[in-house]
Amino acid sequence: MILKRGLFLLIGCLALGLGLLGIVVPLLPTVPFILLAAYCFARSSERLHQWLMTHPWFADALTQWQQHRAMRPGLKRRAMLLTGLSFSISILVVPIIWVKLLLLTMACGLLWYLKTIPEIES
C-alpha cells in the first residue's frame, strides 16, 4: 500500500513537472500531464490533490473536466490559439523541412483533438 501510494506520488510529481514545462515547450502537452497529476495525487496525497484542484491556474479546467468531460468555450479558444501560435513559431524557427512538416502534422492533430472536446454551455 505504501509502495503504491509512493509510486502514484512520484508519477504525479513527474506529470506536474512535465505539465508545467509544457506551458513553455510547444511539443509538450500541458493538459494531459495536469490531468494525470490530478489522478495520481488523488490516489497518493490528499494535500497535493487539494492544492492542484484549488490552484488558480488549473482549478476551473480540472473541475469542469472532472464533472462534465468538457471545457468552457473561452478556455478552448485560448488553448487552440496558444497551440497554433506556439507551433507556428516553432515551424518558423526550425530550419529542417521534415521537422517543419512533422510539427505541422502534430499541430493539426492537436488542434483537431481540441476542436472535438465538448464545450460547456454558458
Side-chain angles (χ1 to χ4, degrees):
M1 184 66 167
I2 292 174
L3 184 61
K4 185 177 177 181
R5 285 186 65 205
L7 184 62
F8 274 118
L9 182 63
L10 177 65
I11 294 170
C13 289
L14 289 172
L16 179 61
L18 289 171
L20 292 173
L21 188 60
I23 293 171
V24 294
V25 177
L27 295 179
L28 200 58
T30 298
V31 174
F33 286 118
I34 299 300
L35 290 174
L36 177 60
Y39 175 85
C40 290
F41 289 158
R43 283 147 185 78
S44 63
S45 171
E46 182 61 33
R47 185 174 60 92
L48 286 174
H49 185 252
Q50 278 305 112
W51 172 80
L52 190 59
M53 295 302 290
T54 58
H55 192 280
W57 290 0
F58 309 118
D60 190 38
L62 285 172
T63 302
Q64 291 167 7
W65 186 257
Q66 190 176 41
Q67 293 175 352
H68 307 290
R69 295 290 189 250
M71 299 172 74
R72 280 186 298 109
L75 180 60
K76 185 175 174 179
R77 279 191 304 274
R78 191 172 347 140
M80 292 179 77
L81 177 69
L82 290 175
T83 297
L85 182 64
S86 65
F87 271 96
S88 296
I89 291 169
S90 297
I91 290 168
L92 290 172
V93 170
V94 170
I96 304 168
I97 192 72
W98 72 267
V99 175
K100 288 178 185 269
L101 293 173
L102 181 64
L103 287 169
L104 180 62
T105 302
M106 292 172 72
C108 290
L110 183 53
L111 288 170
W112 175 81
Y113 172 72
L114 287 171
K115 185 175 172 47
T116 64
I117 293 174
E119 293 180 5
I120 294 174
E121 296 181 22
S122 300

